[in-house]
Amino acid sequence: MLTFIGLGLFDEYDISLKGLEAVREADLVYAEFYTSCLMGTKPEKMEKLYGKKVHLLSREDVEQQPDWLDEAKDKNVAFLTGGDTMVSTTHVDLRLRAEKLGIEIRLVHGASIASAVSGLTGLQNYRFGKSASIPYPYESRRGARIISETPYDTIKQNSELGLHTLVFLDIDKEKGYMTVNLALGLLLEVEAKRGERVIDRAVAVGIARAGSEKPVVKADYAENLKDFDFGKPLHILIVPGKLHFLEAEALVKLAAGPEELMEDIN
């Protein structure tokens, strides 16, 4: 059996009791932390609480050569991930591979940033549109700096429909964890290149260290927010669409947003 277990948002204590029991019953425990990771803990702390050795997998181990799946044919294998276990398409693909191998599957869900952002900001979860991911810029063969414009297009489309956009920020083995500041800077670069005005006059919300005892949640106009100090990772960005009056009030009172938000609604 292969049991997918979501670990939640921040540290080793975010795992559910059902998940903890499944880990302790497993013959082998694997984990990947390249799609997301728990910033409030380390593998050693997880092993101490779980009572099991945690074997870390690389991107290649999960996406290209998941040979370890064969062990789940006759052993009880646990696969740990940050957040919820099936939010990432990588994990869905892995589940489908296991199904093709005839491996019995079990899912143990965990808290996800996709739902936590609504609780932290007061933005209503049913008013979110398609999410986006901002990757780090890369260099072309000719040495030009290339910024993906796809996230900008997604935000623009959602904005036209009055919908909020949840923006995931890149985690790179060499470049590290993308910040809200860099993400906004990249979006504003795309906007300047196009000569449009979607981001610079929009309200944005940055969140840092969701799930910790003292997460940072800050709303402001994008031009101002890009200079705000959010501190250590993980960061995530939201670009709200049209605000309901309760959402505007929540951003002012819960996310220290500008008072003008209430005036805009009224």
Side-chain angles (χ1 to χ4, degrees):
M1 175 184 283
L2 176 61
T3 304
F4 290 82
I5 303 172
L7 299 178
L9 297 173
F10 188 70
D11 61 26
E12 70 271 25
Y13 295 105
D14 283 345
I15 191 171
S16 66
L17 290 176
K18 184 183 290 186
L20 181 59
E21 183 179 68
V23 170
R24 290 177 174 172
E25 292 176 350
D27 299 311
L28 291 166
V29 180
Y30 292 101
E32 72 83 1
F33 295 126
Y34 67 86
T35 56
S36 183
C37 59
L38 306 183
M39 298 304 296
T41 191
K42 297 179 181 179
E44 296 79 22
K45 291 184 178 181
M46 296 167 61
E47 291 174 346
K48 184 177 180 180
L49 176 64
Y50 303 160
K52 290 285 185 176
K53 173 67 178 177
V54 178
H55 302 275
L56 297 181
L57 299 172
S58 66
R59 181 185 292 270
E60 292 73 21
D61 293 329
V62 177
E63 297 183 359
Q64 298 176 21
Q65 295 180 316
D67 299 332
W68 55 274
L69 278 180
D70 289 331
E71 296 177 295
K73 292 179 179 178
D74 52 20
K75 293 181 181 179
N76 190 356
V77 177
F79 177 66
L80 313 181
T81 66
D84 182 69
T85 190
M86 281 293 135
V87 169
S88 171
T89 53
T90 292
H91 304 150
V92 176
D93 177 70
L94 191 64
R95 179 185 178 186
L96 292 175
R97 292 188 188 214
E99 293 277 4
K100 290 178 182 178
L101 292 172
I103 297 170
E104 184 180 356
I105 302 297
R106 180 187 178 197
L107 304 180
V108 180
H109 296 285
S112 169
I113 190 65
S115 56
V117 293
S118 292
L120 288 167
T121 63
L123 295 174
Q124 297 165 3
N125 64 348
Y126 62 87
R127 303 190 70 219
F128 278 79
K130 180 181 177 182
S131 60
S133 296
I134 299 183
Y136 278 103
Y138 66 93
E139 285 192 5
S140 68
R141 292 182 179 179
R142 296 182 179 180
R145 180 170 173 269
I146 307 298
I147 300 174
S148 173
E149 299 188 15
T150 302
Y152 182 90
D153 288 329
T154 299
I155 294 169
K156 181 179 178 181
Q157 291 164 9
N158 283 341
S159 178
E160 291 171 349
L161 295 172
L163 301 175
H164 311 323
T165 307
L166 179 61
V167 186
F168 296 96
L169 309 185
D170 202 0
I171 299 176
D172 185 87
K173 188 174 182 179
E174 296 180 357
K175 297 176 181 178
Y177 305 97
M178 182 178 289
T179 63
V180 166
N181 315 85
L182 176 57
L184 285 172
L186 293 172
L187 291 171
L188 288 167
E189 280 192 57
V190 172
E191 183 155 88
K193 173 185 173 183
R194 293 186 175 189
E196 298 178 352
R197 297 197 67 188
V198 175
I199 303 298
D200 76 329
R201 61 184 180 183
V203 171
V205 188
I207 299 172
R209 300 173 299 285
S212 67
E213 290 187 7
K214 294 183 178 180
V216 172
V217 184
K218 175 62 178 173
D220 205 339
Y221 295 103
E223 277 286 359
N224 299 329
L225 195 66
K226 68 181 177 63
D227 297 320
F228 183 81
D229 182 7
F230 285 92
K232 296 179 180 179
L234 290 174
H235 293 185
I236 196 159
L237 173 67
I238 306 167
V239 180
K242 185 177 180 181
L243 294 172
H244 182 274
F245 72 90
L246 285 178
E247 292 179 307
E249 182 179 4
L251 290 184
V252 172
K253 295 183 178 179
L254 304 180
E259 292 286 344
E260 289 90 332
L261 289 178
M262 295 300 297
E263 297 174 7
D264 293 341
I265 296 298
N266 295 330

